[in-house]
Amino acid sequence: MVNAANEDLGLNLRQSVSDPVGSARPEPNFSLVSNEERDAVSKRDWSAALDLVREASEAIRIRDERATEMEIEHRLDAERASDEIRTLQEQIEETELRLAETEGRLRVAEARAAEAEAWLARMHDAIVTSFSRVVSSDDADEAELRAAFANSLGETR
């Protein structure tokens, strides 16, 4: 809409510059013009000039209004962007805090796991040591029983 008004203004300006008095162009031969005709011509010239000034000022006013609207839109966009940046920064800070807490819990869990593994190793060693004594004594008893059984079988044959 603004471009169409500007094009119309440009067309009107070009027409008035190329044809300031209307469609009648002065001939190369000069003639005397009466005061009434001169007044009429000068009134038309001023009237056309005033119309052009009005059109130009209207086009300028429309552009100024549009510039003001765009400036307001840009300010609102900037405010929205600032608010969004502030919100995202708060989210980042909150996430960093939660990450630090999680890392702390991770260190505690790793320490507990290491302690549990140490206890499991001790229990394993205690069990293996205890049962190896039992198994070795059972092996000796079993060897005696087998020998006695084998002897008894050999005597009965």
Side-chain angles (χ1 to χ4, degrees):
M1 181 171 122
V2 173
N3 287 339
N6 289 337
E7 289 175 12
D8 290 341
L9 176 65
L11 181 62
N12 289 340
L13 286 172
R14 281 190 294 276
Q15 286 173 349
S16 67
V17 169
S18 65
D19 192 11
V21 183
S23 61
R25 293 200 176 241
E27 295 292 325
N29 299 332
F30 293 99
S31 63
L32 292 176
V33 178
S34 71
N35 286 338
E36 292 174 7
E37 289 176 338
R38 192 175 300 144
D39 289 341
V41 168
S42 68
K43 284 182 183 176
R44 269 192 292 175
D45 286 345
W46 284 106
S47 174
L50 286 174
D51 288 343
L52 289 174
V53 169
R54 283 187 194 114
E55 289 176 16
S57 65
E58 181 67 17
I60 292 170
R61 186 188 61 76
I62 290 171
R63 283 193 175 191
D64 283 347
E65 286 176 0
R66 181 64 185 138
T68 303
E69 289 172 4
M70 290 176 70
E71 185 179 340
I72 290 169
E73 288 175 15
H74 291 301
R75 283 183 184 164
L76 291 173
D77 288 344
E79 287 176 12
R80 277 189 232 115
S82 294
D83 290 343
E84 190 171 336
I85 288 170
R86 207 174 7 260
T87 301
L88 291 173
Q89 286 174 338
E90 290 171 359
Q91 289 176 356
I92 288 171
E93 290 171 1
E94 183 180 320
T95 302
E96 287 174 345
L97 191 78
R98 288 193 330 230
L99 177 64
E101 291 172 355
T102 302
E103 288 174 344
R105 287 194 308 266
L106 173 67
R107 284 190 292 277
V108 169
E110 285 175 342
R112 290 179 65 199
E115 185 179 350
E117 286 177 357
W119 276 103
L120 283 173
R122 286 186 203 133
M123 289 175 57
H124 176 266
D125 293 344
I127 290 170
V128 168
T129 304
S130 297
F131 279 114
S132 65
R133 285 188 222 145
V134 171
V135 170
S136 63
S137 68
D138 284 346
D139 286 343
D141 292 340
E142 187 177 330
E144 280 180 29
L145 286 173
R146 284 181 192 217
F149 183 69
N151 286 339
S152 70
L153 282 179
E155 290 177 9
T156 56
R157 278 190 191 178

